[in-house]
Coordinates of all heavy atoms in Angstrom, one line a residue:
M277 N 0.9 -1.2 0.0 CA 0.0 0.0 0.0 C 0.9 1.3 0.0 O 1.8 1.3 0.8 CB -1.0 0.0 1.2 CG -1.8 1.2 1.4 SD -2.7 1.1 2.9 CE -4.3 1.2 2.1
T278 N 0.6 2.2 -0.9 CA 1.4 3.4 -1.0 C 0.7 4.5 -0.1 O -0.5 4.7 -0.2 CB 1.3 3.9 -2.4 OG1 1.9 2.9 -3.3 CG2 2.2 5.2 -2.6
P279 N 1.6 5.0 0.9 CA 1.1 6.0 1.7 C 0.6 7.3 0.9 O 1.3 7.6 -0.1 CB 2.1 6.4 2.7 CG 3.4 5.8 2.1 CD 3.0 4.8 1.1
T280 N -0.3 8.0 1.3 CA -0.7 9.2 0.6 C -0.5 10.4 1.5 O -0.4 10.3 2.7 CB -2.2 9.1 0.1 OG1 -3.1 9.0 1.3 CG2 -2.4 8.0 -0.9
H281 N -0.5 11.6 1.0 CA -0.4 12.8 1.7 C -1.1 13.9 0.8 O -1.4 13.7 -0.3 CB 1.1 13.1 2.0 CG 1.8 13.6 0.6 ND1 2.3 12.7 -0.2 CD2 2.2 14.8 0.2 CE1 2.8 13.3 -1.2 NE2 2.8 14.7 -0.9
T282 N -1.3 15.0 1.5 CA -1.9 16.1 0.8 C -0.8 16.8 0.0 O 0.3 17.1 0.5 CB -2.3 17.2 1.8 OG1 -3.3 16.6 2.8 CG2 -3.0 18.4 1.1
P283 N -1.0 16.9 -1.3 CA 0.1 17.4 -2.2 C 0.4 18.9 -1.9 O -0.5 19.6 -1.3 CB -0.5 17.2 -3.6 CG -2.0 17.2 -3.4 CD -2.2 16.5 -2.1
G284 N 1.5 19.4 -2.3 CA 1.8 20.8 -2.1 C 1.1 21.7 -3.1 O 0.4 21.2 -4.0
P285 N 1.2 22.9 -3.1 CA 2.1 23.6 -2.1 C 1.5 23.8 -0.7 O 0.2 23.7 -0.6 CB 2.2 25.0 -2.7 CG 1.0 25.2 -3.5 CD 0.5 23.9 -3.9
W286 N 2.3 23.7 0.3 CA 1.9 24.1 1.7 C 2.5 25.4 2.0 O 3.5 25.8 1.5 CB 2.5 23.0 2.6 CG 1.9 21.6 2.5 CD1 1.0 21.2 1.5 CD2 2.2 20.5 3.3 NE1 0.8 19.8 1.8 CE2 1.5 19.4 2.8 CE3 3.0 20.3 4.4 CZ2 1.5 18.1 3.3 CZ3 3.1 19.0 4.9 CH2 2.4 17.9 4.4
R287 N 1.8 26.1 2.9 CA 2.4 27.5 3.3 C 2.1 27.7 4.7 O 1.2 27.1 5.3 CB 1.7 28.5 2.4 CG 0.2 28.6 2.6 CD -0.4 29.7 1.7 NE -1.8 29.8 2.0 CZ -2.5 30.5 3.0 NH1 -1.7 31.2 3.8 NH2 -3.8 30.5 3.0
I288 N 2.8 28.7 5.3 CA 2.6 29.1 6.7 C 1.7 30.2 6.7 O 1.8 31.2 5.9 CB 4.0 29.4 7.2 CG1 5.0 28.2 7.2 CG2 3.8 29.9 8.7 CD1 6.4 28.7 7.5
S289 N 0.8 30.2 7.8 CA -0.1 31.4 7.9 C -0.1 31.6 9.4 O 0.2 30.8 10.2 CB -1.5 31.1 7.4 OG -2.1 30.1 8.1
G290 N -0.5 32.8 9.8 CA -0.6 33.1 11.2 C 0.5 34.2 11.6 O 1.4 34.4 10.7
S291 N 0.5 34.6 12.7 CA 1.4 35.6 13.2 C 2.5 35.0 14.0 O 2.3 34.0 14.7 CB 0.7 36.7 14.0 OG 1.7 37.4 14.7
S292 N 3.7 35.3 13.7 CA 4.9 34.8 14.5 C 4.9 35.2 16.0 O 5.6 34.7 16.8 CB 6.2 35.1 13.9 OG 6.4 36.5 13.9
L293 N 4.0 36.2 16.3 CA 3.8 36.6 17.7 C 2.7 35.9 18.4 O 2.5 36.1 19.6 CB 3.6 38.1 17.7 CG 4.7 39.0 17.0 CD1 4.2 40.4 17.1 CD2 6.0 38.8 17.8
G294 N 1.9 35.1 17.7 CA 0.8 34.4 18.2 C 1.2 33.1 18.9 O 2.3 32.8 19.0
E295 N 0.1 32.4 19.3 CA 0.4 31.1 20.0 C 0.8 30.0 19.0 O 1.5 29.1 19.4 CB -1.0 30.7 20.7 CG -1.2 31.5 22.0 CD -0.2 31.2 23.1 OE1 0.1 30.0 23.4 OE2 0.4 32.1 23.7
K296 N 0.3 30.1 17.8 CA 0.6 29.0 16.9 C 0.6 29.6 15.4 O 0.1 30.6 15.1 CB -0.5 27.9 16.9 CG -1.8 28.4 16.5 CD -2.8 27.3 16.6 CE -4.3 27.8 16.3 NZ -5.3 26.7 16.3
L297 N 1.4 28.8 14.7 CA 1.4 29.1 13.2 C 0.7 27.9 12.5 O 0.8 26.7 13.0 CB 2.9 29.1 12.7 CG 3.8 30.2 13.2 CD1 5.2 30.1 12.8 CD2 3.2 31.6 12.8
L298 N 0.0 28.2 11.5 CA -0.8 27.1 10.8 C -0.1 26.8 9.5 O 0.5 27.6 8.8 CB -2.1 27.5 10.5 CG -3.1 27.9 11.6 CD1 -4.4 28.5 11.1 CD2 -3.3 26.8 12.6
I299 N 0.0 25.5 9.2 CA 0.5 25.0 8.0 C -0.7 24.7 7.1 O -1.6 23.9 7.5 CB 1.4 23.7 8.1 CG1 2.4 23.9 9.2 CG2 2.0 23.4 6.7 CD1 3.4 24.9 8.9
E300 N -0.9 25.4 6.0 CA -2.1 25.3 5.2 C -1.8 24.8 3.8 O -0.7 25.0 3.2 CB -2.8 26.6 5.1 CG -3.4 27.0 6.4 CD -4.2 28.4 6.4 OE1 -4.0 29.1 5.3 OE2 -4.9 28.7 7.2
H301 N -2.7 24.2 3.1 CA -2.6 23.6 1.7 C -3.0 24.8 0.8 O -4.0 25.4 1.1 CB -3.4 22.4 1.5 CG -3.4 22.0 0.1 ND1 -4.4 22.2 -0.8 CD2 -2.4 21.3 -0.6 CE1 -4.2 21.7 -1.9 NE2 -2.9 21.2 -1.9
G302 N -2.3 25.0 -0.3 CA -2.8 26.0 -1.3 C -2.1 27.3 -1.2 O -1.2 27.5 -0.4
N303 N -2.7 28.2 -1.9 CA -2.2 29.6 -2.0 C -3.1 30.5 -1.1 O -4.1 30.2 -0.7 CB -2.3 30.1 -3.5 CG -1.4 29.2 -4.4 OD1 -0.3 28.9 -4.0 ND2 -2.0 28.8 -5.5
A304 N -2.5 31.7 -0.8 CA -3.1 32.6 0.1 C -4.4 33.1 -0.4 O -5.3 33.5 0.3 CB -2.2 33.8 0.4
D305 N -4.6 33.1 -1.8 CA -5.8 33.7 -2.3 C -6.9 32.6 -2.5 O -8.0 32.9 -3.1 CB -5.5 34.3 -3.7 CG -4.9 33.4 -4.6 OD1 -4.5 32.3 -4.3 OD2 -4.9 33.7 -5.8
T306 N -6.7 31.4 -2.0 CA -7.8 30.4 -2.0 C -8.1 29.9 -0.7 O -7.3 30.0 0.3 CB -7.4 29.2 -3.0 OG1 -6.2 28.6 -2.4 CG2 -7.0 29.7 -4.4
F307 N -9.2 29.2 -0.6 CA -9.5 28.4 0.7 C -8.5 27.4 0.9 O -8.1 26.7 0.1 CB -10.9 27.8 0.6 CG -11.2 26.9 1.8 CD1 -11.5 27.5 3.1 CD2 -11.0 25.5 1.8 CE1 -11.7 26.7 4.1 CE2 -11.3 24.7 2.9 CZ -11.7 25.3 4.1
S308 N -7.9 27.4 2.2 CA -6.8 26.6 2.5 C -7.1 25.6 3.6 O -7.1 26.1 4.8 CB -5.5 27.4 2.8 OG -5.3 28.2 1.7
P309 N -7.3 24.3 3.4 CA -7.4 23.4 4.5 C -6.2 23.4 5.3 O -5.1 23.6 4.8 CB -7.6 22.0 3.8 CG -8.0 22.4 2.5 CD -7.4 23.7 2.1
I310 N -6.3 23.3 6.6 CA -5.1 23.3 7.6 C -4.5 21.9 7.6 O -5.2 20.8 7.7 CB -5.6 23.6 9.0 CG1 -6.2 25.1 9.0 CG2 -4.5 23.5 10.0 CD1 -6.8 25.5 10.3
I311 N -3.2 21.8 7.4 CA -2.4 20.6 7.4 C -2.0 20.3 8.8 O -2.0 19.2 9.3 CB -1.2 20.7 6.5 CG1 -1.6 21.0 5.0 CG2 -0.3 19.5 6.5 CD1 -2.4 20.0 4.3
G312 N -1.5 21.4 9.5 CA -1.0 21.2 10.9 C -0.8 22.5 11.6 O -1.0 23.6 11.0
S313 N -0.4 22.4 12.8 CA -0.2 23.7 13.7 C 1.2 23.5 14.3 O 1.6 22.4 14.8 CB -1.2 23.8 14.7 OG -2.5 23.9 14.2
V314 N 1.9 24.6 14.4 CA 3.2 24.7 15.3 C 3.0 25.6 16.3 O 2.7 26.8 16.1 CB 4.3 25.0 14.3 CG1 5.6 25.1 15.1 CG2 4.4 24.1 13.2
Y315 N 2.9 25.1 17.6 CA 2.6 26.0 18.7 C 3.9 26.6 19.3 O 4.9 26.0 19.2 CB 1.9 25.2 19.8 CG 0.5 24.9 19.4 CD1 0.1 23.8 18.7 CD2 -0.6 25.7 19.9 CE1 -1.2 23.5 18.3 CE2 -1.9 25.4 19.5 CZ -2.2 24.3 18.7 OH -3.5 24.1 18.4
S316 N 3.7 27.7 19.9 CA 4.8 28.5 20.6 C 5.0 27.8 21.9 O 4.0 27.4 22.6 CB 4.4 29.9 20.8 OG 5.4 30.5 21.6
D317 N 6.3 27.7 22.4 CA 6.5 27.2 23.7 C 7.3 28.3 24.5 O 8.3 28.0 25.2 CB 7.2 25.9 23.6 CG 8.6 26.0 23.1 OD1 8.9 27.0 22.4 OD2 9.4 25.1 23.2
K318 N 7.0 29.5 24.2 CA 7.6 30.7 24.8 C 9.1 30.8 24.6 O 9.9 31.1 25.4 CB 7.3 30.7 26.3 CG 5.8 30.5 26.6 CD 5.5 31.3 27.8 CE 4.0 31.1 28.2 NZ 3.0 30.9 27.3
G319 N 9.5 30.5 23.3 CA 10.8 30.7 22.8 C 11.8 29.5 23.0 O 13.0 29.7 22.7
K320 N 11.4 28.4 23.6 CA 12.3 27.3 23.8 C 12.7 26.5 22.5 O 13.8 26.1 22.4 CB 11.7 26.4 24.8 CG 11.5 26.9 26.2 CD 10.9 25.9 27.2 CE 10.7 26.6 28.5 NZ 9.8 25.8 29.3
L321 N 11.8 26.5 21.6 CA 12.1 25.9 20.3 C 11.9 26.9 19.2 O 11.1 27.8 19.3 CB 11.1 24.7 20.1 CG 11.2 23.5 21.0 CD1 10.1 22.5 20.8 CD2 12.5 22.8 20.9
P322 N 12.6 26.7 18.1 CA 12.5 27.7 17.0 C 11.2 27.4 16.1 O 11.1 26.7 15.2 CB 13.7 27.3 16.1 CG 14.0 25.9 16.4 CD 13.5 25.7 17.9
Q323 N 10.1 28.1 16.6 CA 8.8 27.9 16.1 C 8.7 28.1 14.6 O 8.2 27.3 13.8 CB 7.8 28.7 16.8 CG 6.3 28.6 16.3 CD 5.4 29.6 16.9 OE1 5.8 30.7 17.3 NE2 4.1 29.3 16.9
I324 N 9.3 29.3 14.2 CA 9.2 29.7 12.7 C 10.0 28.7 11.9 O 9.6 28.3 10.8 CB 9.7 31.1 12.6 CG1 8.6 32.0 13.2 CG2 9.7 31.5 11.0 CD1 9.0 33.5 13.3
A325 N 11.2 28.3 12.3 CA 12.0 27.4 11.6 C 11.3 26.0 11.4 O 11.3 25.4 10.4 CB 13.4 27.2 12.2
N326 N 10.7 25.6 12.5 CA 9.9 24.3 12.5 C 8.8 24.4 11.5 O 8.5 23.4 10.7 CB 9.5 23.9 13.9 CG 10.6 23.5 14.8 OD1 11.7 23.1 14.4 ND2 10.4 23.6 16.0
A327 N 8.1 25.5 11.5 CA 6.9 25.6 10.5 C 7.4 25.6 9.1 O 6.8 25.1 8.3 CB 6.2 26.9 10.9
R328 N 8.5 26.3 8.9 CA 9.1 26.4 7.5 C 9.5 24.9 7.0 O 9.3 24.6 5.9 CB 10.3 27.2 7.5 CG 10.0 28.7 7.6 CD 11.2 29.6 7.5 NE 10.9 31.0 7.6 CZ 11.6 31.9 8.2 NH1 12.8 31.6 8.6 NH2 11.2 33.1 8.2
L329 N 10.1 24.2 7.9 CA 10.5 22.8 7.6 C 9.3 22.0 7.2 O 9.3 21.2 6.2 CB 11.3 22.2 8.8 CG 11.8 20.7 8.6 CD1 12.8 20.7 7.5 CD2 12.4 20.3 9.9
I330 N 8.2 22.1 8.1 CA 7.1 21.3 7.8 C 6.4 21.7 6.5 O 6.0 20.9 5.7 CB 6.1 21.4 9.0 CG1 6.7 20.8 10.2 CG2 4.7 20.8 8.6 CD1 5.9 21.1 11.5
A331 N 6.4 23.0 6.2 CA 5.7 23.5 5.0 C 6.4 23.1 3.7 O 5.9 23.0 2.7 CB 5.7 25.1 5.0
K332 N 7.7 22.8 3.8 CA 8.5 22.3 2.7 C 8.5 20.9 2.5 O 9.1 20.3 1.5 CB 10.0 22.8 2.8 CG 10.2 24.3 2.7 CD 9.9 24.7 1.3 CE 10.1 26.2 1.1 NZ 9.9 26.6 -0.3
A333 N 7.8 20.1 3.3 CA 7.8 18.6 3.2 C 7.4 18.1 1.9 O 8.1 17.2 1.4 CB 6.8 18.1 4.3
P334 N 6.3 18.6 1.1 CA 6.1 18.1 -0.2 C 7.2 18.2 -1.2 O 7.5 17.3 -1.9 CB 4.8 18.8 -0.6 CG 4.2 19.3 0.7 CD 5.3 19.6 1.5
E335 N 7.9 19.4 -1.1 CA 9.0 19.6 -2.0 C 10.2 18.7 -1.7 O 10.8 18.2 -2.6 CB 9.5 21.1 -1.9 CG 8.4 22.0 -2.5 CD 8.8 23.5 -2.3 OE1 9.9 23.8 -2.6 OE2 8.0 24.3 -1.8
M336 N 10.5 18.5 -0.4 CA 11.6 17.7 0.0 C 11.3 16.2 -0.4 O 12.2 15.5 -0.9 CB 11.8 17.8 1.5 CG 12.4 19.1 1.9 SD 12.9 19.2 3.6 CE 11.4 18.9 4.5
R337 N 10.0 15.8 -0.3 CA 9.6 14.5 -0.7 C 9.9 14.2 -2.1 O 10.4 13.2 -2.6 CB 8.2 14.2 -0.3 CG 7.7 12.7 -0.7 CD 6.3 12.6 -0.3 NE 5.8 11.2 -0.4 CZ 5.3 10.7 -1.4 NH1 5.1 11.5 -2.6 NH2 4.9 9.5 -1.5
A338 N 9.5 15.2 -3.0 CA 9.7 15.0 -4.4 C 11.2 15.1 -4.8 O 11.6 14.2 -5.6 CB 9.0 16.3 -5.2
L339 N 12.0 15.8 -4.1 CA 13.4 15.8 -4.3 C 14.0 14.5 -3.9 O 15.0 14.0 -4.6 CB 14.1 17.0 -3.6 CG 13.8 18.4 -4.2 CD1 14.3 19.5 -3.2 CD2 14.4 18.6 -5.6
L340 N 13.6 13.9 -2.8 CA 14.2 12.6 -2.4 C 13.7 11.5 -3.3 O 14.5 10.6 -3.6 CB 13.6 12.4 -1.0 CG 14.3 13.1 0.1 CD1 13.5 12.9 1.4 CD2 15.8 12.8 0.3
Q341 N 12.6 11.6 -3.9 CA 12.2 10.6 -4.9 C 13.0 10.7 -6.2 O 13.5 9.7 -6.7 CB 10.7 10.7 -5.2 CG 9.8 10.3 -4.2 CD 8.3 10.6 -4.4 OE1 7.9 11.6 -5.0 NE2 7.4 9.6 -4.1
D342 N 13.3 11.9 -6.6 CA 14.2 12.0 -7.7 C 15.6 11.6 -7.5 O 16.3 10.9 -8.3 CB 14.3 13.5 -8.1 CG 13.0 14.1 -8.7 OD1 12.1 13.3 -9.0 OD2 12.9 15.3 -8.8
A343 N 16.2 11.8 -6.2 CA 17.4 11.4 -5.9 C 17.5 9.8 -5.9 O 18.5 9.3 -6.3 CB 17.8 12.0 -4.4
L344 N 16.5 9.2 -5.3 CA 16.5 7.8 -5.2 C 16.5 7.2 -6.6 O 17.1 6.2 -6.9 CB 15.3 7.2 -4.5 CG 15.3 7.4 -3.0 CD1 14.0 7.0 -2.3 CD2 16.4 6.6 -2.4
Q345 N 15.8 7.7 -7.6 CA 15.8 7.2 -8.9 C 17.1 7.4 -9.6 O 17.6 6.5 -10.2 CB 14.8 8.1 -9.8 CG 13.3 7.7 -9.5 CD 12.3 8.4 -10.5 OE1 12.8 9.2 -11.3 NE2 11.1 8.1 -10.2
I346 N 17.9 8.5 -9.4 CA 19.2 8.7 -9.8 C 20.2 7.7 -9.3 O 21.0 7.0 -9.9 CB 19.6 10.1 -9.7 CG1 18.8 11.1 -10.6 CG2 21.1 10.3 -10.0 CD1 19.0 12.6 -10.2
I347 N 20.1 7.5 -7.9 CA 20.9 6.6 -7.2 C 20.7 5.2 -7.7 O 21.7 4.5 -8.0 CB 20.7 6.7 -5.7 CG1 21.3 8.0 -5.2 CG2 21.4 5.5 -5.0 CD1 20.9 8.3 -3.8
G348 N 19.4 4.9 -8.0 CA 19.2 3.5 -8.5 C 19.7 3.2 -9.9 O 20.3 2.2 -10.2
R349 N 19.7 4.3 -10.7 CA 20.3 4.2 -12.1 C 21.8 4.1 -12.0 O 22.5 3.3 -12.7 CB 19.9 5.4 -12.9 CG 18.5 5.3 -13.3 CD 18.1 6.6 -14.1 NE 16.6 6.6 -14.3 CZ 15.9 7.7 -14.4 NH1 16.5 8.8 -14.2 NH2 14.6 7.6 -14.6
V350 N 22.5 4.8 -11.1 CA 23.9 4.7 -10.9 C 24.3 3.4 -10.4 O 25.3 2.8 -11.0 CB 24.4 5.8 -10.0 CG1 25.8 5.6 -9.6 CG2 24.2 7.2 -10.6
V351 N 23.6 2.8 -9.4 CA 23.9 1.5 -8.9 C 23.7 0.5 -10.1 O 24.6 -0.4 -10.2 CB 23.1 1.2 -7.7 CG1 23.2 -0.3 -7.3 CG2 23.5 2.2 -6.5
A352 N 22.7 0.6 -10.7 CA 22.4 -0.4 -11.8 C 23.5 -0.3 -12.9 O 23.9 -1.4 -13.4 CB 21.0 -0.2 -12.4
D353 N 23.9 0.9 -13.2 CA 25.0 1.1 -14.2 C 26.3 0.4 -13.7 O 27.0 -0.2 -14.5 CB 25.2 2.5 -14.5 CG 26.1 2.8 -15.6 OD1 26.1 2.0 -16.6 OD2 26.9 3.7 -15.6
D354 N 26.6 0.5 -12.4 CA 27.8 -0.1 -11.8 C 27.7 -1.6 -11.8 O 28.7 -2.3 -12.0 CB 28.1 0.4 -10.4 CG 28.5 1.8 -10.4 OD1 29.0 2.4 -11.5 OD2 28.6 2.5 -9.3
L355 N 26.5 -2.1 -11.5 CA 26.3 -3.5 -11.4 C 26.1 -4.2 -12.7 O 26.5 -5.4 -12.9 CB 25.1 -3.9 -10.4 CG 25.3 -3.4 -9.0 CD1 24.0 -3.7 -8.3 CD2 26.5 -4.1 -8.3
M356 N 25.6 -3.5 -13.7 CA 25.3 -4.2 -15.0 C 25.8 -3.1 -16.1 O 25.0 -2.5 -16.7 CB 23.8 -4.3 -15.1 CG 23.2 -5.3 -14.1 SD 21.4 -5.4 -14.2 CE 20.9 -4.0 -13.3
P357 N 27.1 -3.0 -16.2 CA 27.6 -2.0 -17.2 C 27.3 -2.3 -18.6 O 27.4 -1.4 -19.5 CB 29.1 -2.1 -16.9 CG 29.4 -3.4 -16.3 CD 28.1 -3.7 -15.5
D358 N 26.9 -3.5 -18.9 CA 26.5 -3.8 -20.4 C 25.2 -3.2 -20.8 O 24.9 -3.1 -22.0 CB 26.4 -5.4 -20.5 CG 27.8 -6.1 -20.2 OD1 28.8 -5.4 -20.3 OD2 27.8 -7.2 -19.9
I359 N 24.4 -2.9 -19.8 CA 23.1 -2.2 -20.1 C 23.2 -0.7 -20.2 O 23.8 -0.1 -19.2 CB 22.0 -2.7 -19.0 CG1 21.8 -4.2 -19.0 CG2 20.7 -1.9 -19.3 CD1 20.9 -4.6 -17.9
A360 N 22.8 -0.2 -21.3 CA 23.0 1.3 -21.4 C 22.0 2.0 -20.5 O 20.8 1.8 -20.6 CB 22.7 1.7 -22.8
A361 N 22.6 2.8 -19.6 CA 21.7 3.6 -18.7 C 21.9 5.1 -19.0 O 23.0 5.4 -19.5 CB 22.2 3.3 -17.2
P362 N 20.9 5.9 -18.9 CA 21.0 7.2 -19.2 C 22.1 8.0 -18.4 O 22.1 7.6 -17.1 CB 19.6 7.8 -19.0 CG 19.0 6.9 -18.1 CD 19.6 5.5 -18.3
K363 N 22.8 8.8 -18.8 CA 23.8 9.5 -18.1 C 23.3 10.9 -17.8 O 22.6 11.5 -18.6 CB 25.1 9.7 -18.9 CG 25.8 8.4 -19.3 CD 26.2 7.7 -18.1 CE 26.9 6.3 -18.5 NZ 27.3 5.5 -17.4
F364 N 23.5 11.4 -16.6 CA 23.0 12.7 -16.2 C 24.1 13.6 -16.1 O 25.2 13.3 -15.7 CB 22.4 12.6 -14.7 CG 21.2 11.7 -14.7 CD1 21.3 10.4 -14.3 CD2 19.9 12.2 -14.9 CE1 20.1 9.6 -14.3 CE2 18.8 11.4 -15.0 CZ 18.9 10.1 -14.6
P365 N 23.9 14.8 -16.6 CA 25.0 15.9 -16.6 C 25.3 16.2 -15.1 O 24.5 16.1 -14.2 CB 24.4 17.0 -17.3 CG 22.9 16.9 -17.2 CD 22.7 15.4 -17.1
S366 N 26.6 16.6 -14.9 CA 26.9 17.0 -13.6 C 26.2 18.2 -13.2 O 25.9 19.1 -14.0 CB 28.4 17.2 -13.4 OG 28.8 18.2 -14.3
A367 N 25.8 18.3 -11.9 CA 25.2 19.5 -11.4 C 26.0 20.7 -11.3 O 27.2 20.5 -11.1 CB 24.6 19.2 -10.0
T368 N 25.5 21.9 -11.6 CA 26.3 23.1 -11.5 C 25.6 24.0 -10.5 O 24.4 24.0 -10.4 CB 26.4 23.8 -12.8 OG1 25.1 24.0 -13.4 CG2 27.2 23.0 -13.8
M369 N 26.4 24.7 -9.7 CA 25.8 25.6 -8.8 C 25.6 27.0 -9.4 O 26.4 27.5 -10.2 CB 26.9 25.8 -7.7 CG 27.2 24.6 -6.9 SD 25.7 23.9 -6.1 CE 25.6 25.1 -4.7
H370 N 24.4 27.6 -9.2 CA 24.0 28.9 -9.6 C 24.0 29.8 -8.5 O 23.3 29.5 -7.5 CB 22.7 28.8 -10.4 CG 22.8 27.9 -11.6 ND1 23.3 28.3 -12.8 CD2 22.3 26.7 -11.8 CE1 23.2 27.3 -13.7 NE2 22.7 26.3 -13.1
N371 N 24.5 30.9 -8.6 CA 24.4 32.0 -7.6 C 23.3 32.9 -7.8 O 22.9 33.2 -8.9 CB 25.7 32.7 -7.3 CG 26.7 31.8 -6.8 OD1 26.4 30.8 -6.1 ND2 28.0 32.1 -7.1

């Protein structure tokens, strides 16, 4: 069984000065179901950083899936060099 999740984009709403930040699905100009809440603990934990990390979950999942496919192709190429596998260009950093 494949686990499912609410697809992105997810966004943060609420005030950083309030008790909680909401993680919502969709854009600010549409109705947004709530995905989760990040509550304040009076400064003991980085509330905004935690909310940002949670809101990026769909994007991180997609990037990890891409990385796994690339790793699988590299491993297959190393184990079975007779089978032509697509070659990926080296990544370049953009500033």
Side-chain angles (χ1 to χ4, degrees):
M277 174 183 242
T278 303
T280 59
H281 70 284
T282 303
W286 292 3
R287 66 182 178 85
I288 300 169
S289 68
S291 168
S292 61
L293 301 175
E295 286 291 312
K296 66 181 174 182
L297 295 174
L298 299 176
I299 310 300
E300 296 181 343
H301 175 259
N303 300 315
D305 58 347
T306 62
F307 172 75
S308 301
I310 297 172
I311 302 295
S313 301
V314 180
Y315 287 86
S316 171
D317 65 348
K318 308 218 185 323
K320 295 178 186 171
L321 294 174
Q323 179 189 26
I324 294 172
N326 289 339
R328 287 181 182 148
L329 180 63
I330 294 166
K332 290 292 182 183
E335 292 174 52
M336 290 189 299
R337 182 179 189 268
L339 291 170
L340 287 170
Q341 287 176 320
D342 291 346
L344 284 174
Q345 287 182 357
I346 292 169
I347 291 167
R349 290 178 185 145
V350 169
V351 169
D353 191 35
D354 287 345
L355 296 176
M356 300 174 281
D358 297 338
I359 300 173
K363 300 293 182 189
F364 295 94
S366 61
T368 57
M369 297 297 288
H370 298 282
N371 291 332

